[in-house]
Amino acid sequence: MENRAVLEGLLFVVGEEGLSLEQIEDVLEINEEEAKSLLRELKQSYEEKDRGLRIDFLGNRFKLTTKFEHKEYYQKLIENPETNTLSQAALETLAIIAYNEPLTRIEVDKIRGVGSSQIIRKLVAKGFIREVGRSDAPGRPILYKTTSEFLDYFGLSTIDDLPNMDQFMEDEEEIEEDSDLYTSKYKEEVE
């Protein structure tokens, strides 16, 4: 197996959390020198002009980041009205953070059941959420909270203006009851 390719995939999967040297050693089952050598090789391949990413060492972790010299293009993408819509996954992530803030990415992932690192990066870039500190949990993950831009975008004065979740739960229960009635009625007619 090509460890360099695996390392690249690992750095992509962990997103903004990054990987420590020890994690790279453990996951790839290699020693420290081999891990450093792989990082050097991968970092060197990203230094080519035709590559859009690079590897940075930030907060004692290795992370995939975009090249600073391409910043103006990333800004255009974020500001473009066609790309300024929110996907279902982004809305879901935003709702989870808004109703439970402050929250870590890992907590969002647990609630959603899927990884959210790219969506969280996009929401931070759009200004809907921001970093507000670090959790006391192991690894001290970043805590996220909604911003005033979020409130403006959704026409809210404060976070307290969000619809009450109890109402959503009641509506969902009514829908489930209705579907049970339909199902039982259907079965009676078929027999």
Side-chain angles (χ1 to χ4, degrees):
M1 186 178 331
E2 177 63 43
N3 280 343
R4 193 170 94 176
V6 173
L7 176 57
E8 181 178 36
L10 291 171
L11 288 167
F12 177 79
V13 168
V14 297
E16 66 189 41
E17 294 297 319
L19 289 172
S20 67
L21 190 59
E22 293 79 20
Q23 287 175 308
I24 295 168
E25 293 170 28
D26 290 344
V27 172
L28 294 176
E29 298 176 349
I30 57 177
N31 64 40
E32 183 178 343
E33 282 310 308
E34 290 173 303
K36 286 179 179 179
S37 176
L38 279 175
L39 281 163
R40 271 192 302 272
E41 288 175 28
L42 191 56
K43 187 173 176 129
Q44 209 169 28
S45 76
Y46 280 127
E47 289 174 0
E48 299 293 323
K49 288 190 182 263
D50 65 341
R51 302 298 300 264
L53 299 174
R54 67 178 186 205
I55 296 178
D56 283 324
F57 186 69
L58 305 165
N60 291 324
R61 295 181 167 280
F62 295 94
K63 301 177 184 187
L64 273 183
T65 61
T66 55
K67 289 187 173 178
F68 182 77
E69 53 268 28
H70 301 157
K71 180 182 176 184
E72 67 180 275
Y73 299 102
Y74 307 137
Q75 196 64 37
K76 282 182 190 178
L77 178 67
I78 291 168
E79 293 171 355
N80 183 340
E82 289 180 20
T83 60
N84 221 0
T85 59
L86 293 173
S87 67
Q88 186 65 36
L91 286 170
E92 183 180 287
T93 302
L94 198 49
I96 290 168
I97 293 170
Y99 279 100
N100 299 287
E101 62 186 24
L103 212 58
T104 66
R105 180 194 52 83
I106 295 166
E107 291 169 322
V108 172
D109 292 352
K110 282 181 186 173
I111 294 169
R112 289 190 67 226
V114 294
S116 305
S117 61
Q118 289 181 328
I119 293 169
I120 287 178
R121 273 194 293 260
K122 185 175 183 179
L123 292 171
V124 168
K126 286 183 177 287
F128 289 143
I129 61 173
R130 64 183 173 91
E131 296 178 13
V132 292
R134 296 223 172 234
S135 168
D136 291 331
R140 305 221 356 110
I142 297 168
L143 289 167
Y144 294 97
K145 187 175 176 175
T146 56
T147 63
S148 57
E149 286 86 353
F150 161 79
L151 296 173
D152 292 346
Y153 186 83
F154 288 97
L156 304 169
S157 299
T158 69
I159 200 74
D160 297 328
D161 291 341
L162 283 170
N164 188 335
M165 282 303 289
D166 294 335
Q167 181 61 41
F168 287 121
M169 299 306 279
E170 288 172 15
D171 291 346
E172 190 173 299
E173 287 171 10
E174 287 174 20
I175 290 169
E176 285 177 16
E177 287 174 15
D178 290 346
S179 65
D180 287 344
L181 289 174
Y182 173 77
T183 306
S184 63
K185 235 184 214 181
Y186 179 74
K187 285 179 183 175
E188 288 173 14
E189 290 176 11
V190 171
E191 292 174 4

